[in-house]
Amino acid sequence: MKPTFLTTLIIPAMMATAGIAQATENSSGMEASYLTQAPENTFYSDSLTGNQVRSSVENDEDIGTINDLIIDEDGSIKAVVVGVGGFLGMGEKNIAIEWESLELTKDENGEDYVISVNASEEALQEAEEFERDANLQTERDTDMNNSEENASENPS
C-alpha cells in the first residue's frame, strides 16, 4: 500500500516539475522593461495624427491632414496617410506619403512639430489614392468584430 501511495504523490510532482521546466525553456527569458518618461528625441503618435502637412514648395501652405500612420512590425513609421482635397471632409481622398519624404521641424516655440513635404497641393491631389488593406486589421478591429459576432450569436 505504501509504494502505491508514494507513487501517486511522486508522479504528479514529477509531472509538475517537467511542466515548469518546459515553460521555462519556452519563455524568451527577457523581462518587460518600463518607462516613466518618453525618451529624448521621441514623440507620440497623436503629435502627428490630426496635424496639417505643409508644402515646402508653396510657402508652407497647409495641403492636407495626417489621418493615420503605417507602422512596420519593428515599430518604424513607414508612411503617413494624408487626407487631401475636399472641403470640410467632403471629397477628401487619402494618399500615403513615405516617412522619408517628410521633414519634421519644431515650431517657433519649440513645442509642436511642423510637418512639410516637398510637393505641391496639386501634386498630392493627383497622387494615386491609398486603399487601406482590409487584411491588415488592427487588434482593436478584430476584437470589435469578435465581440459583435459573439453578441449576434448569443443575444441576451
Side-chain angles (χ1 to χ4, degrees), residues 53 64-71 77-84 93-102 117 119 123-133:
V53 175
T65 305
I66 298 177
N67 293 329
D68 209 346
L69 306 175
I70 300 172
I71 303 170
I77 300 172
K78 299 308 275 181
V80 295
V81 178
V82 178
V84 297
K93 76 172 182 177
N94 284 322
I95 62 165
I97 302 174
E98 290 186 22
W99 181 250
E100 291 80 24
S101 298
L102 299 174
V117 64
L124 295 182
Q125 289 178 0
E126 290 175 0
E128 191 171 332
E129 186 169 7
F130 174 76
E131 297 290 332
R132 186 174 178 142
D133 187 354

Side-chain angles (χ1 to χ4, degrees), residues 11-142:
I11 290 177
M14 290 174 67
M15 290 174 66
T17 305
I20 291 170
Q22 184 177 3
T24 303
E25 289 174 12
N26 290 338
S27 67
S28 66
M30 185 175 186
E31 291 190 33
S33 58
Y34 306 95
L35 300 175
T36 57
Q37 294 180 324
E40 194 172 319
N41 299 321
T42 63
F43 53 87
Y44 299 101
S45 65
D46 66 357
S47 63
L48 292 179
T49 54
N51 255 336
Q52 292 294 313
V53 175
R54 296 179 179 179
S55 169
S56 61
V57 297
E58 292 181 340
N59 297 325
D60 288 335
E61 292 282 328
D62 289 339
I63 55 176
T65 305
I66 298 177
N67 293 329
D68 209 346
L69 306 175
I70 300 172
I71 303 170
D72 69 12
E73 291 178 349
D74 293 329
S76 299
I77 300 172
K78 299 308 275 181
V80 295
V81 178
V82 178
V84 297
F87 181 70
L88 298 175
M90 300 295 292
E92 179 180 86
K93 76 172 182 177
N94 284 322
I95 62 165
I97 302 174
E98 290 186 22
W99 181 250
E100 291 80 24
S101 298
L102 299 174
E103 181 182 351
L104 269 64
T105 55
K106 292 282 190 164
D107 64 5
E108 310 81 53
N109 301 332
E111 295 177 12
D112 295 321
Y113 283 101
V114 175
I115 304 152
S116 301
V117 64
N118 188 17
S120 67
E121 182 175 12
E122 182 180 335
L124 295 182
Q125 289 178 0
E126 290 175 0
E128 191 171 332
E129 186 169 7
F130 174 76
E131 297 290 332
R132 186 174 178 142
D133 187 354
N135 294 327
L136 294 177
Q137 292 182 342
T138 63
E139 185 175 322
R140 187 185 85 215
D141 292 339
T142 304

